[in-house]
Amino acid sequence: MISIGNFFFKYRNFLFIFLYLALFLPSPKIFTEDNLGSNYYIWPITIGLIVTVLGQIIRGLTIGLAYIVRGGKDKKVYAENLVTEGIFNHCRNPLYVGNILMLLGVGILSNSLIFMGILMPLFLFIYQAIVLAEENFLRNKFGAQFDSYCSRVSRWGISLKGISRTFSSMDFQGRRWISKEYNTQFVWLTGIVLLLLVNYPDVISSDIELRNKIVAGILILLVIAYFTVRSLKKAGKLKDKVNRV
């Protein structure tokens, strides 16, 4: 599993591209009009949006409180320090938990049986392998310090014990969240808009011309927001404030 994890760590960004494209593959539906009536679409839209937004919130809180570099070094697992503050004090892999929930949510929104029944389990297997590879590196580098951390913090579960103390003791770095997440946010929000258009066109509007205008307007706003944030980042206007200790 560690060898598998090291392999997929190197190519994990391509994995996300593949999975996002797979959301649009033709597939039998999970929620259907035959089973749930004419308003069946309420279920995948509501559940999917709640789950995927929860994942983005978890990622946002994690990055805003204590950012950890997941890029590795030379496409290999690497870490300078063992980060245990912020949300990492409540879960060892909150960014990955956020990713899983984000992808699970858009999978539900896509209403795709193939995605949820085949690709999502495959994604979870790959993520488990990546985490085991990272833990192997961290254990070899930090030894007893990492073992102690593992003994008190769950790999996947998020403990809410002491969460208020975590929030009160640290400043949320909103500019860091925007700076680090704007690419992810753009792809995520664009994907949601396109899924709604492809799978539930009449929910947006039964008027095709109006529907196209609404979707085009939203996509234009997302593109403007993307390049605005990119410009601010390049200009150095999204730097962190100093956290409270």
Side-chain angles (χ1 to χ4, degrees):
M1 286 290 284
I2 291 173
S3 297
I4 294 172
N6 283 322
F7 172 80
F8 279 110
F9 182 88
K10 185 185 300 185
Y11 301 106
R12 66 199 184 286
N13 291 332
F14 297 103
L15 175 66
F16 270 100
I17 295 173
F18 167 76
L19 288 170
Y20 256 82
L21 292 175
L23 289 167
F24 299 93
L25 290 175
S27 167
K29 295 181 178 180
I30 302 170
F31 304 90
T32 65
E33 186 173 352
D34 290 340
N35 294 331
L36 298 170
S38 59
N39 293 327
Y40 76 94
Y41 55 82
I42 292 175
W43 293 96
I45 291 176
T46 303
I47 297 172
L49 288 177
I50 289 174
V51 173
T52 195
V53 169
L54 176 61
Q56 182 56 247
I57 289 172
I58 291 172
R59 278 189 62 86
L61 291 174
T62 302
I63 293 170
L65 291 178
Y67 183 63
I68 182 172
V69 177
R70 287 286 189 181
K73 186 176 182 180
D74 298 325
K75 295 185 178 181
K76 296 180 181 179
V77 177
Y78 183 80
E80 287 286 349
N81 304 299
L82 181 62
V83 179
T84 60
E85 65 266 24
I87 305 301
F88 291 98
N89 192 41
H90 303 271
C91 175
R92 300 207 304 265
N93 298 284
L95 288 174
Y96 288 167
V97 171
N99 287 347
I100 290 169
L101 290 175
M102 286 175 67
L103 199 60
L104 177 63
V106 292
I108 295 171
L109 184 63
S110 73
N111 202 11
S112 168
L113 184 60
I114 290 177
F115 187 89
M116 294 298 294
I118 299 175
L119 295 177
M120 196 67 203
L122 176 62
F123 174 69
L124 294 176
F125 169 79
I126 291 172
Y127 248 23
Q128 175 72 2
I130 289 174
V131 166
L132 291 176
E134 290 183 339
E135 289 184 352
N136 180 66
F137 172 87
L138 295 171
R139 184 168 283 109
N140 288 333
K141 181 166 185 174
F142 299 105
Q145 183 185 1
F146 181 69
D147 287 333
S148 175
Y149 176 55
C150 291
S151 69
R152 64 181 179 82
V153 180
S154 170
R155 175 184 290 155
W156 294 112
I158 297 180
S159 172
L160 298 180
K161 183 178 179 181
I163 194 74
S164 60
R165 184 167 59 252
T166 295
F167 288 137
S168 64
S169 64
M170 302 181 73
D171 289 324
F172 179 79
Q173 302 285 355
R175 286 178 290 186
R176 180 204 296 156
W177 169 64
I178 294 172
S179 174
K180 300 297 183 183
E181 281 288 271
Y182 76 99
N183 279 309
T184 300
Q185 290 276 1
F186 176 75
V187 173
W188 175 63
L189 291 172
T190 300
I192 289 175
V193 172
L194 294 178
L195 283 173
L196 289 172
L197 174 64
V198 171
N199 293 333
Y200 318 99
D202 290 341
V203 174
I204 298 176
S205 175
S206 57
D207 184 329
I208 296 177
E209 185 177 352
L210 176 60
R211 182 171 67 224
N212 291 340
K213 288 180 179 178
I214 292 173
V215 172
I218 293 173
L219 293 178
I220 290 171
L221 288 175
L222 288 175
V223 170
I224 291 172
Y226 174 85
F227 283 104
T228 299
V229 173
R230 188 181 182 195
S231 297
L232 290 172
K233 181 178 180 178
K234 286 188 173 182
K237 296 182 179 180
L238 294 176
K239 294 182 179 179
D240 290 0
K241 295 185 294 183
V242 178
N243 252 332
R244 295 197 303 272
V245 179

